[in-house]
Amino acid sequence: MVTTPAEFYERHRELLDRAIQATGARDYWSAFPESPSKSVYGEDAALAGERAFQALLGHPFPIEVPGATTTVSTERSPYGTELNLSYPKGEPAALISAARAGIKAWRDAGPHGRAGVAAEILTRLNARIFEIAHAVQHTTGQAFVMAFQAGGAHAQDRGLEAVAVTLAETTRIPARSTWSKPQRSGEPPVLERTSTVVGRGVGLVIGCTTFPTWNSYPGLFASLVAGNPVIVKPHPGAVLPLAITVQVAQEVLREAGLDPHLVGLAVEERGDGIAAELATRPEVRVVDFTGSSEFGSWLEANARQAVVYAEKAGLNTVVLDSTADYRGLLRNLAFSLSLYSGQMCTTPQNLLVPTGGIGTDEGHKSPGQFAADLGAALDKLLGDPKRAAGTLGAIVNDGVLARLTEAGTLPGVLHPSATIADEQFPAAVIRTPLVARLDAEDEKVYTREWFGPVSFVITTADTAHSLRLFTTTVRQHGALTASVHSTSEEVLAAAREAALDAGVHLVENFTGGVFVNQTAAFGDLHGTPANPAATASLTDAAFVTGRFVTLESRREVTR
């Protein structure tokens, strides 16, 4: 039995209206609970989700991929679990042709119908949240609770946020209107106008290995609601979470009487370069990418036929001047450096401390004392191996380990990285953060991104110098986050000005249970095209308006 897109919209109208309201209010709201509690998701949900995940292992993944003649198996669990998953591999031309076949019916569904289908996809993904959480955990190295939250509920919230913003923007111009121009004499001319939202073309979502769902869902759902078919190209190391996503999307599209290949899966062997090939095809008109600055910049330069929404990398910076809660500052910063072993695009890297030290409620602290106290805070946070494993997760790939090893050879290491054992997953590689001391002159070191658990305490001449250094480095190299700690309103005001000049979001005096490297859908913007680290913000109007055009048809009414 077919459930039409319009019927899906009516089913989810209240949810979509509430989501649109939340994007305007900017207060806390979440559609999908972040707690993996039995009282929230039901007594049997956790076990059923784990069993569903286990049932996938060792088998070809059940999904339709047009033109597939071979399979790929590229994933390795950072926890040592044998995955042995394979996926059908289609050729770019076949994937694009299949994606384009259903465009007319998808366009005819209209913004509300497309939003209804998207909302149905998201609610079904939420119904499989435990299965998806295990898939995220065993491809990215995130600890389970983080995988459930960031890879499940928070990703689904980000997807719904993109649906809401896109629906609002695509319905801003009325679908039907009448135009009449008053005349001095005679009957005024009357025109009836029809406005239709038309997608730009095929969308391409290029996933990353660390946050395959959280970073992919905004672009995927924004493009869909804007009227575009979407090809999802996962990172070879994290295919399963996005394969499940495409599988669910195809299931809903089929039930809506639409072509299921409006959402397709493009997998590759490592090094095949299918992302570059797809991104430069003339039919591909929207590209969403999360990953390295090198490939992101390549896409911006070479995918010239497309609108490119890229989240790359940068130098996330903390300016330290003074604090009224030194212990809170240390706890907050230690957790921010430790969460998922620093394998987040938002993790602080450069901590700027004046050579004269910082004022605190516990007295004056020199740069050396601050660095030592930060190391002690890290040791306290991560002292219990079980708690440490739940915070750090596992190292996702050899590149992170290589940078961590290289950082260990620096002369100013104050807090070396240590190995943590995980009783549940003995094969997991788990490492604590490394902290090194640098001077402002060591710019060749700290102006490079050290993705992973590596941070630097950098001595500057004074707070004014710290702010200048912050502004310069972020302008040149980009950043996703910035922080300032000060008890002075003058310094805080100067930091806000510096952040505006640098083009980066700022947090001030975070010492409690909110952290700089976490952003909430509907409330917080993530990323900004105001500096080189990204070309868009999740999720503002600019993130969606480049994905569609509105075309008019005008008819003169004769009287």
Side-chain angles (χ1 to χ4, degrees):
M1 181 176 177
V2 172
T3 303
T4 67
E7 289 170 331
F8 277 131
Y9 173 72
E10 290 302 324
R11 178 182 297 180
H12 299 292
R13 178 197 285 266
E14 184 176 346
L15 174 67
L16 292 166
D17 287 347
R18 183 66 183 86
I20 291 173
Q21 179 185 351
T23 63
R26 311 304 294 177
D27 197 359
Y28 173 77
W29 182 72
S30 172
F32 302 107
E34 66 177 3
S35 172
S37 169
K38 293 179 180 179
S39 64
V40 176
Y41 282 95
E43 190 72 24
D44 302 322
L47 181 58
E50 184 176 8
R51 286 175 173 170
F53 166 73
Q54 293 290 341
L56 293 172
L57 304 185
H59 301 288
F61 187 82
I63 194 168
E64 292 183 11
V65 175
T69 58
T70 185
T71 61
V72 302
S73 180
T74 53
E75 294 160 301
R76 177 185 64 83
S77 170
Y79 288 100
T81 300
E82 291 294 329
L83 301 178
N84 294 324
L85 285 154
S86 62
Y87 306 89
K89 178 184 177 183
E91 294 303 314
L95 292 167
I96 289 173
S97 177
R100 286 170 54 84
I103 284 179
K104 183 183 184 305
W106 190 231
R107 181 176 68 229
D108 292 346
H112 292 95
R114 293 192 292 268
V117 170
E120 179 68 16
I121 294 169
L122 285 163
T123 56
R124 293 196 194 184
L125 288 170
N126 185 250
R128 294 176 67 172
I129 191 169
F130 284 93
E131 178 187 357
I132 291 171
H134 285 288
V136 171
Q137 177 186 17
H138 287 285
T139 54
T140 69
Q142 294 177 30
F144 178 77
V145 172
M146 183 176 183
F148 185 94
Q149 293 178 341
H154 297 172
Q156 292 153 17
D157 273 340
R158 276 294 185 195
L160 182 60
E161 178 187 41
V163 171
V165 175
T166 310
L167 178 57
E169 293 301 322
T170 53
T171 56
R172 193 170 300 281
I173 296 175
R176 295 186 179 277
S177 59
T178 301
W179 179 91
S180 177
K181 182 178 180 179
Q183 303 290 309
R184 288 189 176 184
S185 62
E187 291 292 328
V190 178
L191 301 181
E192 290 180 349
R193 181 189 294 110
T194 300
S195 299
T196 304
V197 171
V198 178
R200 287 181 58 87
V202 177
L204 172 66
V205 174
I206 304 172
C208 64
T209 187
T210 49
F211 290 88
T213 53
W214 196 95
N215 280 109
S216 296
Y217 281 10
L220 167 60
F221 286 100
S223 279
L224 278 178
V225 178
N228 304 287
V230 181
I231 296 171
V232 178
K233 207 296 292 183
H235 187 283
V239 181
L240 182 57
L242 290 178
I244 293 172
T245 301
V246 174
Q247 182 189 61
V248 170
Q250 291 185 348
E251 170 189 284
V252 174
L253 288 164
R254 188 177 289 107
E255 289 183 22
L258 296 161
D259 192 323
H261 301 300
L262 283 164
V263 180
L265 181 70
V267 298
E268 64 175 342
E269 295 284 359
R270 294 179 184 271
D272 277 356
I274 192 173
E277 184 177 352
L278 282 168
T280 52
R281 290 284 299 242
E283 302 93 338
V284 171
R285 302 300 303 279
V286 181
V287 176
D288 288 276
F289 167 76
T290 302
S292 70
S293 294
E294 182 182 9
F295 189 56
S297 297
W298 186 92
L299 287 169
E300 292 169 31
N302 291 278
R304 303 184 68 86
Q305 84 293 346
V307 179
V308 177
Y309 298 95
E311 181 190 307
K312 299 177 286 184
L315 308 178
N316 301 320
T317 304
V318 182
V319 175
L320 294 128
D321 172 75
S322 55
T323 181
D325 183 5
Y326 188 54
R327 292 297 143 184
L329 183 157
L330 292 170
R331 286 192 300 269
N332 189 283
L333 191 52
F335 186 80
S336 295
L337 300 184
S338 302
L339 185 60
Y340 187 30
S341 299
Q343 298 170 122
M344 303 176 70
C345 61
T346 50
T347 301
Q349 174 179 298
N350 295 340
L351 318 179
L352 306 181
V353 183
T355 188
I358 61 174
T360 81
D361 55 322
E362 297 184 7
H364 205 73
K365 304 293 181 181
S366 68
Q369 185 63 58
F370 166 75
D373 291 344
L374 178 59
L378 287 166
D379 291 339
K380 183 176 181 180
L381 173 68
L382 305 172
D384 175 58
K386 185 175 181 180
R387 179 182 179 185
T391 301
L392 294 166
I395 299 297
V396 68
N397 58 42
D398 292 339
V400 176
L401 277 179
R403 284 187 292 274
L404 189 55
T405 300
E406 182 184 356
T409 66
L410 295 172
V413 174
L414 294 175
H415 185 271
S417 177
T419 299
I420 299 290
D422 186 340
E423 292 182 358
Q424 185 179 4
F425 300 107
V429 177
I430 303 176
R431 299 289 295 274
T432 64
L434 177 147
V435 180
R437 278 282 303 276
L438 297 175
D439 291 322
E441 291 76 18
D442 298 320
E443 60 182 26
K444 288 186 178 180
V445 179
Y446 65 76
T447 56
R448 164 189 165 193
E449 191 202 16
W450 295 71
F451 184 77
V454 177
S455 295
F456 304 111
V457 175
I458 303 166
T459 304
T460 64
D462 52 29
T463 298
H465 182 207
S466 295
L467 291 172
R468 291 194 302 272
L469 189 62
F470 156 58
T471 303
T472 301
T473 54
V474 173
R475 276 179 178 169
Q476 293 178 351
H477 304 281
L480 273 300
T481 64
S483 306
V484 60
H485 287 273
S486 181
T487 58
S488 165
E489 287 299 328
E490 290 78 10
V491 170
L492 293 176
R496 290 184 208 116
E497 289 298 317
L500 294 174
D501 289 342
V504 65
H505 304 301
L506 179 70
V507 304
E508 304 173 18
N509 293 334
F510 272 24
T511 58
V514 180
F515 306 95
V516 64
N517 42 347
Q518 298 173 311
T519 58
F522 303 102
D524 300 320
L525 293 174
H526 173 78
T528 167
N531 75 67
T535 61
S537 292
L538 304 178
T539 302
D540 60 8
F543 182 72
V544 307
T545 53
R547 301 172 189 271
F548 67 90
V549 296
T550 303
L551 299 179
E552 289 184 344
S553 177
R554 297 179 293 167
R555 173 183 293 183
E556 185 172 4
V557 178
T558 57
R559 293 180 182 272

